[in-house]
Amino acid sequence: MNDPPSIGTVLVVGITGSGKSTLCNCLLEIDPESDGAFRESRKVGSETRHFKCKEIGRWKIVDTVGLGDTSVSPSVVYRDVAEACDECAKTGIAQILLVCRGRLTQEQLDAFDNISRVLLDEHMYMWAHTTLIRTGFVPFMDRKFCAEDIEDMREHPVMKEFLPKIDNRVIHVDNQGR
């Protein structure tokens, strides 16, 4: 008897408005205007109010509520991220994508610090499955510019500690023109 193919679960976490839902739609090759798409915000603020899962083929993508969503209390947001982690634990997490857009703000640094302490430090094995995704990064094809961006991030104490834990896995993308 053949075992069914395993599902790889990708947990997508980041600040409100960082492009998490857009990235999820890109990963699953879903038209953002279709009924099956993750809702993308056309304004400031979050469209995602509770984590959502979509499965296509061997992949399950879990889109979470934006960290720092001012319409939802921080405790509700982190509880929702914890519930998303519980959902992911059912099939195992293949990858955690931490999404940020533009310059690193104090809000993003605080969120990365909280994610580190609350999620990753409690489950140390997850560091090996975590990648930082820099969205809206127009010169993403310029390796030198991307390397300089990573060096600039290391100037922040939080990121200086954070980046080595994820083995400096940073991917730059420009998902704005999607």
Side-chain angles (χ1 to χ4, degrees):
M1 184 153 113
N2 292 337
D3 290 335
S6 62
I7 291 185
T9 301
V10 178
L11 178 65
V12 182
V13 181
I15 294 292
T16 298
S18 62
K20 294 178 307 304
S21 297
T22 302
L23 180 63
C24 291
N25 287 331
C26 288
L27 291 170
L28 293 172
E29 297 180 346
I30 296 174
D31 178 353
E33 302 303 319
S34 73
D35 288 338
F38 290 100
R39 295 209 37 204
E40 298 175 14
S41 179
R42 302 283 186 241
K43 59 187 182 333
V44 176
S46 179
E47 287 290 331
T48 306
R49 295 286 175 233
H50 184 64
F51 78 88
K52 294 177 178 57
C53 303
K54 299 221 184 288
E55 289 184 28
I56 291 187
R58 293 186 53 238
W59 292 101
K60 177 195 277 185
I61 305 293
V62 181
D63 187 16
T64 60
V65 174
L67 306 173
D69 185 334
T70 55
S71 67
V72 181
S73 75
S75 63
V76 170
V77 171
Y78 281 101
R79 185 171 42 249
D80 191 72
V81 171
E83 288 175 16
C85 290
D86 290 344
E87 175 66 26
C88 292
K90 294 175 185 175
T91 54
I93 294 177
Q95 189 71 176
I96 298 172
L97 303 180
L98 295 179
V99 183
C100 66
R101 176 186 299 278
R103 285 190 155 333
L104 285 177
T105 64
Q106 190 60 50
E107 180 183 34
Q108 288 175 333
L109 293 169
D110 291 346
F112 288 145
D113 191 41
N114 287 333
I115 290 167
S116 296
R117 286 183 292 104
V118 172
L119 177 62
L120 299 172
D121 284 349
E122 281 191 28
H123 308 282
M124 295 300 281
Y125 72 93
M126 288 186 184
W127 283 108
H129 302 280
T130 301
T131 301
L132 179 62
I133 307 292
R134 301 273 285 156
T135 61
F137 200 86
V138 176
F140 71 99
M141 297 290 285
D142 185 333
R143 289 180 189 222
K144 183 177 182 230
F145 203 81
C146 293
E148 288 172 359
D149 179 62
I150 294 169
E151 285 306 312
D152 288 347
M153 283 192 286
R154 285 193 181 102
E155 292 179 14
H156 299 282
V158 169
M159 297 308 286
K160 187 174 189 172
E161 185 177 324
F162 184 88
L163 288 169
K165 289 181 178 180
I166 62 169
D167 200 24
N168 297 303
R169 283 184 302 277
V170 179
I171 298 174
H172 296 83
V173 299
D174 180 19
N175 59 346
Q176 296 180 97
R178 172 117 162 83

